[in-house]
């Protein structure tokens, strides 16, 4: 009997610690619930990431990991994100009026740049961490557009120029089909004439060289004919590509102007 009482006495400190731990968790959840009922978004943000809040808002590094109980609400992050998004997006709408948000699932938000036609997906909004997660490619394009603006160029200026030059070359192939046909006719006549030549042994090398030159030229013209046959289709594809690039430049220009207007 005495041994049993001694064992109970030994357990009391751990029971006290357990009771304290449970009390802290209950208090944490009650505080979070009250903040939710009161519409106190600031305190909710502090409770779901106390360490970061203390470091970035209070400028303190004294918070210990043991005091961070945010893992208790890991399973309701989506609901918390949805709730907190209302005031956050209203604030962001005033600070960054060129961004628009689409809730694709509870608490998950895509960011679009602008409300104009053919607007682009620009990234995601991380509500709980109050952070933009921009698409690297789209962000890079916009950044480059600002850099080129100082040189009075657009993002796709060089690409469009290169495609336009290629289309001009293809059009030249189409335009000179008759000239190529006449040149081929003349080369075939030369080829026939060369093949009928009776040469002395010391002239054979020269004749072979002449014959090979004619063959090489005919091969080149045949390649140009083949390119000309597909030129119209390629030019149409190039025109479509130029249109896409021009539209992209227009959208980038809208984005750039929207930022400049609101900075």
């Amino acid at each position: 009997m005495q041994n049993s009482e001694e064992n109970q006495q030994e357990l009391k400190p751990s029971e006290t610690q357990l009771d304290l731990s449970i009390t802290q968790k209950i208090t944490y959840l009650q505080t979070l619930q009250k903040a939710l009922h009161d519409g106190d978004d600031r305190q909710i943000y502090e409770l779901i990431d106390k360490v970061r809040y203390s470091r970035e808002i209070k400028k303190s590094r004294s918070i210990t990991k043991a005091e961070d109980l945010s893992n208790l609400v890991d399973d309701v992050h989506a609901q918390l994100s949805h709730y907190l998004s209302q005031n956050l997006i209203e604030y962001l709408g005033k600070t960054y009026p060129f961004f628009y948000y689409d809730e694709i699932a509870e608490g998950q938000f895509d960011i679009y740049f602008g409300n104009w036609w053919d607007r682009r997906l620009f990234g995601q909004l991380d509500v709980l961490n109050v952070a933009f997660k921009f698409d690297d490619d789209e962000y890079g394009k916009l950044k480059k557009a600002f850099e080129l603006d100082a040189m009075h160029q657009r993002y796709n200026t060089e690409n469009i120029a290169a495609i336009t030059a290629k289309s001009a070359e293809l059009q030249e192939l189409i335009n000179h089909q008759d000239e190529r046909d006449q040149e081929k006719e003349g080369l075939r006549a030369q080829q026939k004439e060369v093949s009928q030549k009776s040469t002395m042994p010391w002239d054979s090398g020269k004749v072979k060289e002449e014959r090979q030159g004619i063959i090489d030229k005919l091969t080149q013209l045949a390649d140009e004919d083949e390119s000309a046959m597909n030129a119209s289709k390629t030019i149409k594809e190039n025109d479509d590509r130029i249109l896409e690039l021009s539209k992209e430049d227009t959208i980038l220009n809208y984005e750039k102007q929207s930022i400049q207007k609101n900075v």
Side-chain angles (χ1 to χ4, degrees):
M1 191 72 176
Q2 187 176 357
N3 290 337
S4 176
E5 290 178 357
E6 289 176 355
N7 289 337
Q8 288 179 357
Q9 289 294 328
E10 291 173 359
L11 290 174
K12 282 184 178 179
S14 61
E15 289 175 351
T16 300
Q17 182 59 43
L18 177 60
D19 182 70
L20 178 61
S21 178
I22 293 173
T23 299
Q24 287 176 335
K25 292 181 179 183
I26 291 172
T27 301
Y28 171 86
L29 292 173
Q30 288 176 336
T31 304
L32 179 60
Q33 185 179 51
K34 184 176 185 303
L36 183 66
H37 290 168
D38 294 344
D40 190 348
D41 289 9
R42 182 208 60 76
Q43 187 168 36
I44 293 174
Y45 274 115
E46 180 178 9
L47 289 167
I48 61 178
D49 195 343
K50 199 168 186 178
V51 174
R52 183 184 176 203
Y53 188 92
S54 179
R55 182 179 66 248
E56 298 186 9
I57 305 301
K58 294 183 175 179
K59 307 301 181 184
S60 170
R61 296 183 179 273
S62 62
I63 297 298
T64 64
K65 190 173 183 180
E67 295 175 294
D68 182 10
L69 300 174
S70 60
N71 62 309
L72 293 175
V73 292
D74 283 352
D75 60 337
V76 292
H77 273 190
Q79 295 96 313
L80 283 171
S81 178
H82 173 80
Y83 169 79
L84 291 169
S85 69
Q86 299 173 44
N87 289 333
L88 177 61
I89 288 177
E90 182 180 354
Y91 166 77
L92 292 175
K94 298 174 183 176
T95 310
Y96 306 103
F98 38 80
F99 284 145
Y100 290 78
Y101 309 90
D102 178 28
E103 189 170 16
I104 58 174
E106 187 176 32
Q108 297 179 31
F109 295 85
D110 280 342
I111 302 172
Y112 287 89
F113 207 122
N115 61 348
W116 45 75
W117 113 101
D118 207 23
R119 64 182 184 169
R120 298 186 300 169
L121 178 64
F122 204 71
Q124 286 76 42
L125 172 65
D126 183 345
V127 175
L128 296 185
N129 289 300
V130 195
F132 292 130
K133 295 182 177 179
F134 294 138
D135 179 275
D136 289 341
D137 290 338
E138 298 301 333
Y139 182 83
K141 289 178 183 178
L142 185 58
K143 182 174 181 291
K144 186 67 174 178
F146 271 98
E147 293 171 356
L148 291 171
D149 187 53
M151 296 180 281
H152 306 289
Q153 292 184 8
R154 292 193 169 190
Y155 180 77
N156 288 304
T157 297
E158 292 185 0
N159 288 337
I160 290 175
I163 296 172
T164 301
K166 184 60 178 177
S167 291
E169 292 177 6
L170 293 172
Q171 188 60 52
E172 282 293 302
L173 288 175
I174 296 174
N175 295 342
H176 290 85
Q177 184 63 56
D178 290 343
E179 289 90 332
R180 283 197 305 278
D181 289 341
Q182 292 176 11
E183 188 174 359
K184 284 184 292 183
E185 186 177 343
L187 287 168
R188 291 189 185 104
Q190 290 180 38
Q191 190 178 38
K192 183 177 180 181
E193 182 181 337
V194 170
S195 66
Q196 292 175 346
K197 283 184 178 179
S198 177
T199 60
M200 301 301 290
W202 53 82
D203 288 331
S204 60
K206 182 178 179 180
V207 172
K208 286 181 181 179
E209 184 179 344
E210 185 178 0
R211 185 183 298 119
Q212 187 60 49
I214 294 171
I215 292 172
D216 290 345
K217 186 60 179 176
L218 284 170
T219 301
Q220 177 188 336
L221 292 171
D223 290 341
E224 292 178 2
D225 285 345
E226 185 176 354
S227 296
M229 288 176 61
N230 299 316
S232 296
K233 179 182 177 183
T234 304
I235 289 173
K236 175 61 169 62
E237 292 172 349
N238 286 348
D239 288 344
D240 292 341
R241 179 58 179 155
I242 288 173
L243 180 60
E244 290 177 6
L245 295 175
S246 297
K247 285 173 61 178
E248 183 176 54
D249 277 343
T250 300
I251 296 299
L252 284 168
N253 193 49
Y254 281 153
E255 294 173 358
K256 182 167 59 64
Q257 288 178 354
S258 295
I259 293 175
Q260 291 170 333
K261 179 181 178 181
N262 292 282
V263 169

